């Protein structure tokens, strides 16, 4: 699935569109503006292993990714070009019950709304989340930070080094450097 140069997706625009399907990967780029735009869009795709967010620069709205990837087989997620997350809980429960998830990376993020990550990792264990160092004081003030974004044993890293792209064994591109 290739959702390229998305501009606006209406309220619940892709609600359950690819839920329980056999899709294994997707690319989402552009900007996403819309409440619950990706609501359950890829949930319960147990073979869904890769999402490419390169080219996605902003996401705004209430609960934009609510349960979008719930129950998928994602291991690594990178938002390499995402600079802005705004609205009420845009990543609320986005990766809920993704039991294979190990890393989520936001190397370019500069603008963020309060508690953008509420329950983002609900049901996820031992995941590392990486943010630019410049956001440390902002993110550590969010109530969701103290709960590990509702994950268990969540590790949060603030890295002020330039993040470099590398390819991991599964073929996914992530942004990683000296963590």
């Amino acid at each position: 699935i290739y959702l390229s140069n998305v501009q606006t997706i209406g309220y619940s625009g892709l609600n359950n569109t690819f839920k329980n399907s056999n899709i294994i990967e997707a690319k989402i780029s552009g900007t996403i503006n819309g409440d619950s735009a990706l609501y359950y869009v890829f949930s319960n795709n147990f073979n869904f292993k890769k999402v490419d967010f390169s080219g996605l620069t902003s996401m705004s709205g209430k609960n934009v990714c609510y349960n979008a990837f719930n129950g998928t087989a994602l291991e690594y997620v990178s938002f390499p070009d995402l600079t802005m997350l705004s609205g009420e809980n845009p990543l609320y429960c986005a990766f809920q019950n993704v039991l294979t998830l190990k890393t989520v990376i936001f190397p370019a993020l500069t603008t963020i709304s309060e508690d953008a990550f509420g329950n983002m990792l609900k049901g996820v264990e031992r995941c590392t989340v990486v943010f630019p160092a410049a956001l440390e004081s902002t993110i550590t003030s969010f109530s969701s930070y103290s709960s590990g974004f509702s994950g268990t044993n969540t590790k949060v890293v603030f890295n002020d080094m330039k993040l470099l792209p590398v390819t991991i064994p599964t073929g996914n591109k992530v942004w990683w450097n000296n963590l």
Side-chain angles (χ1 to χ4, degrees):
I1 299 298
Y2 188 59
L3 303 172
S4 177
N5 298 314
V6 174
Q7 292 300 314
T8 301
I9 299 174
Y11 177 78
S12 294
L14 293 175
N15 183 353
N16 292 294
T17 305
F18 306 109
K19 184 176 183 179
N20 298 315
S21 70
N22 291 317
I23 294 170
I24 59 171
E25 66 180 73
K27 176 172 176 54
I28 302 171
S29 66
T31 60
I32 298 176
N33 300 305
D35 292 352
S36 302
L38 300 178
Y39 187 87
Y40 283 96
V41 68
F42 297 108
S43 68
N44 298 325
N45 283 319
F46 304 111
N47 294 316
F48 188 85
K49 295 181 180 186
K50 180 180 179 185
V51 61
D52 180 355
F53 284 112
S54 61
L56 178 66
T57 57
S58 71
M59 188 183 301
S60 63
K62 180 178 180 180
N63 300 332
V64 175
C65 288
Y66 184 81
N67 277 305
F69 303 99
N70 181 17
T72 62
L74 292 169
E75 291 182 39
Y76 301 91
V77 177
S78 178
F79 293 88
D81 304 311
L82 185 68
T83 58
M84 183 184 78
L85 268 173
S86 64
E88 186 180 334
N89 295 307
L91 289 175
Y92 187 79
C93 291
F95 304 106
Q96 180 172 329
N97 298 319
V98 180
L99 305 179
T100 53
L101 190 61
K102 300 298 172 212
T103 309
V104 180
I105 302 175
F106 299 92
L109 198 58
T110 58
T111 305
I112 185 170
S113 59
E114 185 171 342
D115 276 339
F117 309 102
N119 290 327
M120 177 177 73
L121 299 176
K122 187 174 182 180
V124 176
E125 293 184 17
R126 295 178 188 87
C127 184
T128 300
V129 184
V130 184
F131 297 103
L135 293 177
E136 184 170 6
S137 65
T138 301
I139 291 172
T140 57
S141 71
F142 294 165
S143 61
S144 61
Y145 169 79
S146 63
S147 70
F149 310 115
S150 295
T152 303
N153 297 316
T154 304
K155 179 179 179 183
V156 180
V157 176
F158 297 96
N159 189 335
D160 60 356
M161 302 176 83
K162 182 176 170 141
L163 300 171
L164 305 172
V166 297
T167 302
I168 56 174
T170 61
N172 295 341
K173 187 182 235 184
V174 297
W175 300 82
W176 199 270
N177 189 21
N178 297 338
L179 300 181

